[in-house]
Amino acid sequence: MADGASVAPSPCKMKVLLGLLAGAGATYGIYKLVTASRNRANQSRNIDVVNEHCSGKDESTKAVLPGSLLEKVFEFSSIRGRDVRTGDGSSREILSKTPGKLDPQHLEMLLSLLQSNPDTSERMQILVTLGNSAAFSVNQDFIRETGGLKIIGNLLSDPVFGIRVQALNALNNLSMNAKNQEQLKEYIPKVLEMIEISAVNSDIQLAALRLLTNLSVTNDYHHMMRNSITLFLSLLVVGNEGLQTQVLKVLVNLSANPEMVDDILRAQAPASLVLLFDSGTVAAVLCRVLTFVGNLTNWTPSTPTKEALKRSKDSLYSVLFGDSSQLPSKLSLLLCHPDTEVTAQVARFFT
């Protein structure tokens, strides 16, 4: 799998690696999505943000869009593509337009070209254009209503690495819409599979995790990610800073859902996870992993679950809260961390 940076291990090797790491031994903006259909299910949650000190919105990576709060919470990716030359003058003209100037007929033509054009570079540019057009909610709706989500979703199985990446990027931007999410949920198993079998730190993993971040803003689809918690925890100890950040965004959102806490604490976790609670960890990552664990301490597991967790030596509960856990001593040392946001997060554990 040629992503230009790393060579993907085979699916079997990836699973063995994650399994070994799991056996041997990751921001807290409070948002409430105010929509009538979600008031029953959504809780005040720790929505992950992406600024250096993880205490507010990072406007460089989130679209500041007019409209609903839903759009402002989600993470919008500005997608860059390369210039292409098309044989059709009209399609070339469409691709040269800025996203705000695309009319419905333009979007419809691009979706048609995406299915019929065999040229890889042109299809990638079309995906870039469609993804950037999703900065506007009217385009999000139109692409859904014309079957565009399925057209783009089908490309997650495309043999070309770049097509898969751009399809994930486009779906990520289109997922800033509750109605779109209702359709996009069917791709969650495929996206999780892509994360598991792809090269660590690859563009595929990063793009897939961005999409899952948006799909985990509400509680609605958390249950579909339940069986991948061990995968997320394992990636925290093998990934670089960028991957750790993206994984933690998902984990922070999942851990804000009380119905998911038991599953998170039961998940197999690498013992080396506690090494992240160190002054040598990048502050942005450290702040997020503290938020993640802080969320877990906000909910009390049921008594039968707690007893079962104590007996499971490789569970996240044992790694973090077991009798032999190194976490308490690690947290004590972090009280002297130079970053004030980190010390504020640590102080929560001692109050």
Side-chain angles (χ1 to χ4, degrees):
M1 191 172 296
D3 61 351
S6 57
V7 178
S10 67
C12 291
K13 289 182 179 179
M14 183 62 184
K15 292 178 180 177
V16 170
L17 172 63
L18 296 179
L20 288 173
L21 287 167
T27 357
Y28 198 87
I30 301 178
Y31 297 87
K32 187 165 286 191
L33 302 182
V34 189
T35 56
S37 63
R38 299 176 185 272
N39 279 341
R40 293 193 301 271
N42 296 341
Q43 307 290 334
S44 295
R45 63 178 62 253
N46 305 335
I47 299 299
D48 191 273
V49 294
V50 281
N51 66 318
E52 182 178 357
H53 298 293
C54 50
S55 59
K57 295 182 180 179
D58 179 354
E59 307 303 349
S60 66
T61 54
K62 293 186 179 182
V64 184
L65 304 175
S68 68
L69 176 60
L70 196 64
E71 290 175 326
K72 297 175 183 177
V73 169
F74 293 130
E75 182 177 323
F76 180 85
S77 300
S78 179
I79 308 173
R80 294 183 179 181
R82 48 185 169 177
D83 293 334
V84 298
R85 304 176 70 179
T86 67
D88 187 336
S90 60
S91 61
R92 183 169 59 248
E93 181 181 351
I94 293 173
L95 290 174
S96 68
K97 290 179 177 291
T98 59
K101 294 184 179 180
L102 289 175
D103 295 327
Q105 61 266 27
H106 297 146
L107 296 174
E108 194 167 12
M109 180 179 290
L110 290 176
L111 289 169
S112 178
L113 286 170
L114 196 56
Q115 300 176 88
S116 61
N117 194 328
D119 186 274
T120 296
S121 62
E122 292 180 15
R123 291 164 69 216
M124 288 177 63
Q125 184 60 50
I126 290 170
L127 285 168
V128 168
T129 302
L130 289 170
N132 287 338
S133 74
F136 304 90
S137 57
V138 63
N139 292 341
Q140 297 169 13
D141 292 332
F142 181 82
I143 290 173
R144 179 189 69 252
E145 292 164 358
T146 53
L149 297 181
K150 186 172 183 63
I151 292 172
I152 299 172
N154 288 339
L155 296 178
L156 295 180
S157 298
D158 194 276
V160 179
F161 179 89
I163 294 293
R164 298 198 301 275
V165 171
Q166 295 298 350
L168 284 166
N169 286 338
L171 292 178
N172 173 59
N173 290 348
L174 288 164
S175 68
M176 300 187 301
N177 179 304
K179 290 185 178 180
N180 284 358
Q181 286 199 0
E182 293 174 5
Q183 292 189 22
L184 293 176
K185 66 181 180 183
E186 70 176 271
Y187 298 108
I188 291 178
K190 176 63 177 177
V191 173
L192 290 168
E193 179 189 17
M194 295 171 77
I195 294 171
E196 183 175 5
I197 70 175
S198 297
V200 176
N201 303 322
S202 65
D203 289 343
I204 284 278
Q205 284 193 333
L206 293 170
L209 287 163
R210 282 193 292 269
L211 176 55
L212 292 185
T213 299
N214 281 358
L215 293 175
S216 63
V217 167
T218 69
N219 295 352
D220 296 1
Y221 314 115
H222 286 182
H223 65 284
M224 300 181 70
M225 307 177 201
R226 178 177 284 119
N227 294 333
S228 296
I229 294 170
T230 291
L231 170 64
F232 297 148
L233 295 174
S234 299
L235 288 175
L236 284 178
V237 301
V238 298
N240 59 20
E241 177 187 344
L243 187 69
Q244 289 173 330
T245 297
Q246 292 301 148
V247 172
L248 283 166
K249 290 178 183 179
V250 178
L251 287 173
V252 165
N253 287 346
L254 295 180
S255 64
N257 180 358
E259 295 182 1
M260 289 293 296
V261 172
D262 282 1
D263 293 287
I264 294 173
L265 292 174
R266 275 198 300 261
Q268 189 179 25
S272 57
L273 191 65
V274 295
L275 298 179
L276 288 174
F277 298 86
D278 185 84
S279 59
T281 300
V282 176
V285 172
L286 182 55
C287 195
R288 287 187 177 91
V289 73
L290 287 167
T291 299
F292 167 57
V293 177
N295 286 352
L296 299 178
T297 63
N298 287 336
W299 311 105
T300 303
S302 61
T303 299
T305 298
K306 192 169 184 177
E307 292 301 317
L309 291 173
K310 287 181 178 180
R311 295 191 297 270
S312 179
K313 300 304 181 183
D314 61 352
S315 69
L316 181 62
Y317 180 88
S318 293
V319 171
L320 297 179
F321 309 120
D323 294 337
S324 60
S325 174
Q326 301 176 40
L327 183 60
S329 60
K330 290 278 189 181
L331 292 175
S332 297
L333 293 174
L334 288 175
L335 285 170
C336 299
H337 196 281
D339 189 288
T340 57
E341 183 62 23
V342 169
T343 56
Q345 292 281 356
V346 175
R348 296 169 53 211
F349 292 90
F350 296 94
T351 57

